[in-house]
Amino acid sequence: MADIFYPLQWIADKLTYEVFGIAPTTHLAASVNFIIYDVLKIFVLLSVMIFAISYLRTYITPEKTRKVLGGKKGLRYHLIASLIGTVSPFCSCSSVPLFIGFVEAGVPLGVTFSFLITSPLVNEAAVAVLWATLGLKATVIYVVSGIVLGVFGGYMIGFLKLERYVEEFVYKIKVGKQASEQEKMTVKERARTAFEGVKDIVGRVWIYVIIGVSIGGIFHGYAPEGILEKYAGKDNLLAVPFAVLIGVPLYSNVMGMIPIMESLIGKGLPIGTSLAFLMSVTAVSLPEMVILKKVLKKELIAIFVSIVALSIIFTGYMFNILL
Amino acid sequence: MKIEILGTGCAKCKKTKEAIEKVLAETGKKAEVVKVENIETILNYGVMVTPAVVVDGEVKLAGKVPDEKEIRKWVE
């Protein structure tokens, strides 16, 4: 297959061997080349992906979503909620008003959770960085698992009929009629919004990307091959749950985490274990839980976290076996 | 004029407030700038994604930090 990123590799090679004059066979060359290539590739993919998704997102508003999902039961609507969740990330402080807005529109609790689980899990920036580092196949696996996880997790929560664990006040709030009109945007306006999305997200994550790639690069150049196979290989059954456990409190650094995972995979960390770790970093984040605590009783939060964590562990094992 | 900034207090909400105050200072317009963190009030305006800006009771924008051009349009 033709490598569309070949020009970036060419630039990385030129810079490493000619501009910096590092001998190609050294550890330093391996690290530097890896860092330049990865940073370039990540920023290219990041910009393209965020632009595309931000553009698409101008068509999807919470009001429309409420209308589509209101009062609908059944697996199909879990899937739709999950799919909407993949393209519409919300900043964590919007999760509470969104949650109330959904419940008020009669969206079943389980369907709301399908949205809430997938939305942070599959976000365009994480997908772009993943694509740049682990390749298209791992990215597709990640996105599909994220959607399946959202559908399954939300379905379980709906199945268990946990409505009583939602704080009473949520059911009493009435959502007002007024909301900003964003319906009739021109192509130019949509493109502008998409461009602002790129500026905003790249502006926030670039530092994590560079730090992550640098750590990954050093690892790539200097750590011996196969070092992780011994401790965290497929035959170590504790590795997956352990990866999920350390993944939970790490939310803000996920953009930096991914390039580090890339180099760890290069050194023998199984893909399933790595994906489980990344999923736990994005899906079950501590700050998010603290915010949801305002509308959910602790029992429901505990069930939510357990269902998601267990499904992630299962997904990790599954990919370790399959890949 | 009364400008309300709706948001539970994330970085984007703070940025929105700063941007509005900057434009007010530059244009010399007077306005009462209030930060609204109460969820019920936010939802009463029909807003589900924050930050949002309400000028004299009318929702002007939701879900992103406004740019200076937009803010100028509202205050002038």
Side-chain angles (χ1 to χ4, degrees), chain B residues 6-67:
Chain B
L6 318 182
T8 42
C10 59
K12 282 189 184 176
C13 312
K14 281 188 207 112
K15 256 205 210 150
T16 305
K17 188 163 187 262
E18 282 162 20
I20 289 174
E21 278 165 352
K22 187 170 164 237
V23 172
L24 286 174
E26 280 170 8
T27 56
K29 299 275 176 194
K30 290 263 174 294
E32 184 195 349
V33 180
V34 196
K35 190 105 178 356
V36 178
E37 296 194 359
N38 183 297
I39 302 240
E40 206 163 328
T41 321
I42 294 174
L43 284 160
N44 266 329
Y45 279 118
V47 167
M48 277 170 281
V49 279
T50 55
V53 180
V54 175
V55 179
D56 289 331
E58 193 190 333
V59 179
K60 291 290 187 188
L61 158 136
K64 63 172 188 151
V65 180
D67 59 32

Side-chain angles (χ1 to χ4, degrees), chain A residues 218-230:
Chain A
I218 294 167
F219 213 77
H220 177 83
Y222 292 91
E225 300 291 327
I227 182 169
L228 283 156
E229 231 142 28
K230 220 162 70 195

Side-chain angles (χ1 to χ4, degrees), chain A residues 112-128:
Chain A
T112 305
F113 265 97
S114 287
F115 174 84
L116 280 182
I117 294 170
T118 311
S119 190
L121 193 56
V122 185
N123 81 68
E124 71 278 17
V127 165

Side-chain angles (χ1 to χ4, degrees), chain A residues 137-148:
Chain A
K137 190 174 150 202
T139 309
V140 171
I141 289 175
Y142 183 85
V143 173
V144 173
S145 321
I147 293 168
V148 171

